[in-house]
Amino acid sequence: MSLFIPRMLVILLVFGLIAGCTREVEESPAVDLLQHVPADTPYAFVTSRPLPDGLRSKLGDHYAIQLAAQGEVFSRVREQMQESEDAAPMAYQAESLFDILEALFAEFEGRDTAAKVRELGIEPVTRSVIYGIGVLPAVRVEILDATKLDAMLDRVEARAGVSASRGELDGQRYRRIDLGRVDAVLSVTKRHAIAGLLPDSLFDRDLPLLLGQVQPDTNLAETGEIQALVEQHGFTGFGEGFIRLDNLIAILLGKGQGRNSEVMQALGTAPIPVSAGCMQMTEQLVSGMPRMVIGITAADERQLAARAIWESNAAVSAHLQKLAAPVPGLGAGYDGLVSFGMGIDLPQLRNAIDALLRAVIAAGSACEWVDPASLKAVMPQLNLALGPMTAGIKGFNLQLADLEIDPQTMQPIRVQAGLLAAVDDPRGVFALGAMFNPAMASLQIPSDGSFVDLPQDMGLDEQTPPLKVAIRDKALVLVAGDDSADLANSLLNAVAASPTPLFAVDYGVYQLVQRFGDMMDSATEQLGSQGEKEMAEELREQLESFRQQARMFNRLRMSMHASPEGLVMDQVMELR
């Protein structure tokens, strides 16, 4: 089992690359892809519609650049694993697979545009489906040129020094790679590239299903589950799917049904050893949030937006919807460098945690994992930490409009930033600060939003930028910097977003790279010259990843809120 899992994870990476690299054809309904997907699959993700031309063109070049850089990154990761005492055994066991991966990445070196990737018979953006035959992954993607793609796979085998066995089923050719208890299957047809993992003992039975020569007894096209997701959550058909967490847990506990159970048995994987009481508790808790769904909600030449919903039952949803506390401006659009904040009703958070602990105690009465006495002891500590002293604190919204850093000292020389703290009693919070700094006690802060300068004799560092503070309604606002009037007014006049975010972050990735990219290059070189080569290399890789994002995206926005359906996570990628 220790050898199988690493191999499975590596081959999953290969499938992910293949799935992201194929072609666009004439638009057709998702049924031609979903008819191959068993209705009881634990997970599925399908892109049934081609993206709009402009967006597809931009993404194609972006993905090509990423693929072109993966060879160097993977070689470095492999070298680090081989040098690591903990990871070296896995690197040795998966050596042949790592050779294949390096050979695959070599095919993309220098192919930093979509046009160059097409020379391999594939296109970086296309229609595809990823799903499970049992727990094992399967992929079907549309391709551009079968002859060119087959030739690429031949070169990968030759460069890696491996030879996959060849087979044919009813005229359909496939490659078979022995991975121990499972075999990897790759097949290229005129229209599709197909890949998947099959257990040895079920190979003959499941190969026709993987290759698409037979259909499942019931498939996702027939059940309409994907279409229901699109209609329920406002997805676009450009990409949507789900992970059935309750099914995956049941499979791992040895309670899977049909093919899901048969695949686990064929793998020789024993169920997680748990008592009946712990099994019942686990199933009960997972039933509260049984499925994660994800989909594209908007796609055009200006933006790409995605939404994930961790679906919950009515009881859990009721608690989640009480957690958010309104914070003015949090989750609203921002055009500065970075905006970050959260809004949480701490008494409601305490109630939710208390309810969860009580549910665990009740459901785990016969589970050896649960110590009721220890959990009950947490409750008074919870009441203390989230009690009356913190009840009035609702959240904050931090905005960094501008920042200049001295490249020699790496110290800030100019800052424009603002912080809005949403509190029931802002004057009381300011008074609390005065207890630690008596100089603040003499300040008279009006309640109309007028800003007051904080004196420099408050013990602040001489490099601290000018600070101003204001109070209005249930907001305490602190701004830093000389030219902060616009930022101050925007914070004071902001309104709470709807739905109320629990968390939100908004950053201008292009602005950040333009502002700090050269400085970070200098810092990387300095680290290398000081002998910190590993840290310098990690910083260089992170900076290059950031630059790749900046070539494609202007801003990235993420937020989280609760709805009657569950916990909702939104991401908006604003394109350049």
Side-chain angles (χ1 to χ4, degrees):
M1 188 66 180
S2 61
L3 177 59
F4 166 70
I5 292 297
R7 285 182 170 180
M8 177 178 169
L9 292 176
V10 172
I11 206 69
L12 269 170
L13 176 59
V14 178
F15 291 162
L17 289 173
I18 294 175
C21 306
T22 23
R23 79 167 184 132
E24 173 251 337
V25 297
E26 292 183 5
E27 184 174 343
S28 59
V31 63
D32 62 331
L33 295 172
L34 295 178
Q35 66 185 0
H36 302 290
V37 182
D40 61 353
T41 178
Y43 53 90
F45 186 85
V46 60
T47 54
S48 55
R49 295 175 57 199
L51 289 168
D53 290 342
L55 176 59
R56 187 168 64 252
S57 176
K58 290 181 179 180
L59 287 176
D61 286 337
H62 177 68
Y63 292 158
I65 292 171
Q66 290 185 319
L67 283 171
Q70 291 309 304
E72 181 181 352
V73 174
F74 180 77
S75 295
R76 190 173 302 110
V77 171
R78 182 179 185 180
E79 182 180 342
Q80 292 174 350
M81 291 179 64
Q82 291 170 337
E83 295 174 351
S84 168
E85 183 177 346
D86 294 331
M90 190 193 88
Y92 174 76
Q93 292 172 339
E95 185 173 11
S96 62
L97 284 175
F98 285 1
D99 288 341
I100 294 173
L101 276 174
E102 284 198 346
L104 175 65
F105 290 136
E107 289 291 323
F108 295 97
E109 290 181 3
R111 299 184 184 275
D112 54 1
T113 66
K116 292 179 181 179
V117 173
R118 292 188 189 104
E119 295 171 358
L120 300 175
I122 55 183
E123 168 124 10
V125 184
T126 188
R127 299 173 66 241
S128 63
V129 62
I130 303 174
Y131 60 99
I133 298 178
V135 296
L136 297 179
V139 180
R140 177 177 291 264
V141 292
E142 291 178 335
I143 64 172
L144 182 63
D145 190 307
T147 301
K148 291 181 179 179
L149 180 55
D150 256 329
M152 185 195 80
L153 294 176
D154 289 340
R155 293 193 301 272
V156 169
E157 285 190 34
R159 187 180 287 112
V162 300
S163 179
S165 62
R166 264 57 168 184
E168 187 172 312
L169 183 66
D170 292 340
Q172 186 172 349
R173 293 179 299 170
Y174 62 89
R175 302 168 192 248
R176 180 176 181 177
I177 304 173
D178 182 9
L179 298 176
R181 293 184 181 136
V182 300
D183 292 336
V185 177
L186 299 170
S187 179
V188 179
T189 70
K190 183 177 181 180
R191 187 182 179 193
H192 292 108
I194 302 163
L197 294 179
L198 298 177
D200 286 344
S201 61
L202 298 177
F203 188 89
D204 292 337
R205 187 197 74 174
D206 288 348
L207 180 62
L209 176 64
L210 174 64
L211 297 182
Q213 296 183 5
V214 300
Q215 291 187 10
D217 294 336
T218 308
N219 60 61
L220 279 187
E222 294 171 333
T223 64
E225 186 169 359
I226 292 294
Q227 184 59 33
L229 287 183
V230 171
E231 295 173 358
Q232 180 181 355
H233 298 295
F235 297 151
T236 58
F238 293 129
E240 53 276 330
F242 60 80
I243 302 175
R244 294 182 176 130
L245 301 174
D246 52 353
N247 282 15
L248 285 174
I249 292 297
I251 292 169
L252 294 176
L253 293 176
K255 300 183 70 174
Q257 302 293 319
R259 194 183 303 272
N260 292 330
S261 174
E262 294 164 359
V263 168
M264 292 298 286
Q265 292 175 13
L267 294 175
T269 305
I272 298 176
V274 297
S275 65
C278 290
M279 184 180 296
Q280 181 179 1
M281 180 195 72
T282 302
E283 291 174 335
Q284 183 173 333
L285 293 177
V286 173
S287 69
M289 302 187 77
R291 188 175 70 162
M292 173 77 77
V293 302
I294 187 170
I296 303 298
T297 54
D300 54 41
E301 293 189 18
R302 294 174 299 148
Q303 68 171 7
L304 180 65
R307 168 169 289 185
I309 303 99
W310 193 352
E311 296 176 332
S312 63
N313 62 25
V316 173
S317 175
H319 280 294
L320 291 175
Q321 291 181 84
K322 294 176 182 177
L323 291 180
V327 176
L330 181 62
Y334 184 63
D335 59 5
L337 291 179
V338 179
S339 176
F340 166 77
M342 61 180 62
I344 299 177
D345 190 309
L346 296 182
Q348 291 296 342
L349 177 62
R350 178 198 59 212
N351 294 343
I353 297 176
D354 182 83
L356 175 61
L357 293 176
R358 293 182 186 279
V360 171
I361 292 172
S365 59
C367 175
E368 65 274 14
W369 298 342
V370 177
D371 182 356
S374 297
L375 294 180
K376 290 179 180 178
V378 172
M379 294 178 181
Q381 300 174 22
L382 188 65
N383 291 332
L384 180 63
L386 302 176
M389 287 292 292
T390 58
I393 301 174
K394 303 303 182 183
F396 69 93
N397 184 21
L398 173 65
Q399 295 183 348
L400 178 61
D402 199 5
L403 175 65
E404 291 184 20
I405 296 179
D406 188 322
Q408 302 301 320
T409 64
M410 299 298 289
Q411 296 296 318
I413 56 177
R414 181 175 182 273
V415 177
Q416 271 188 282
L419 172 68
L420 181 147
V423 291
D424 284 344
D425 183 10
R427 192 167 298 282
V429 172
F430 190 80
L432 184 63
M435 293 175 59
F436 296 95
N437 192 325
M440 294 175 61
S442 61
L443 291 177
Q444 299 297 317
I445 312 296
S447 300
D448 61 358
S450 301
F451 277 88
V452 175
D453 292 329
L454 292 182
Q456 288 294 119
D457 61 0
M458 291 176 52
L460 301 175
D461 187 279
E462 62 179 14
Q463 295 182 337
T464 301
L467 299 176
K468 301 176 184 290
V469 64
I471 292 175
R472 179 188 289 175
D473 299 327
K474 295 185 178 183
L476 175 65
V477 178
L478 178 69
V479 294
D482 289 318
D483 302 321
S484 55
D486 291 342
L487 177 60
N489 290 330
S490 68
L491 286 169
L492 275 176
N493 296 321
V495 297
S498 179
T500 305
L502 291 161
F503 163 86
V505 61
D506 183 336
Y507 62 98
V509 59
Y510 181 75
Q511 290 175 278
L512 290 169
V513 168
Q514 290 292 102
R515 177 63 57 87
F516 303 116
D518 292 343
M519 182 186 65
M520 296 307 296
D521 283 333
S522 299
T524 299
E525 293 178 4
Q526 186 175 354
L527 282 172
S529 65
Q530 294 173 350
E532 299 288 347
K533 293 184 178 180
E534 185 174 341
M535 183 180 298
E537 190 57 39
E538 290 178 358
L539 182 59
R540 188 190 70 80
E541 290 178 4
Q542 293 174 3
L543 181 57
E544 180 55 32
S545 175
F546 217 44
R547 281 193 166 116
Q548 288 181 13
Q549 291 185 45
R551 293 186 187 105
M552 178 73 184
F553 305 113
N554 184 42
R555 301 196 68 84
L556 298 176
R557 299 185 176 95
M558 291 162 281
S559 66
M560 179 186 301
H561 70 273
S563 78
E565 297 165 333
L567 197 59
V568 181
M569 291 147 279
D570 285 315
Q571 180 174 19
V572 177
M573 293 153 278
E574 181 184 301
L575 305 177
R576 288 186 56 197

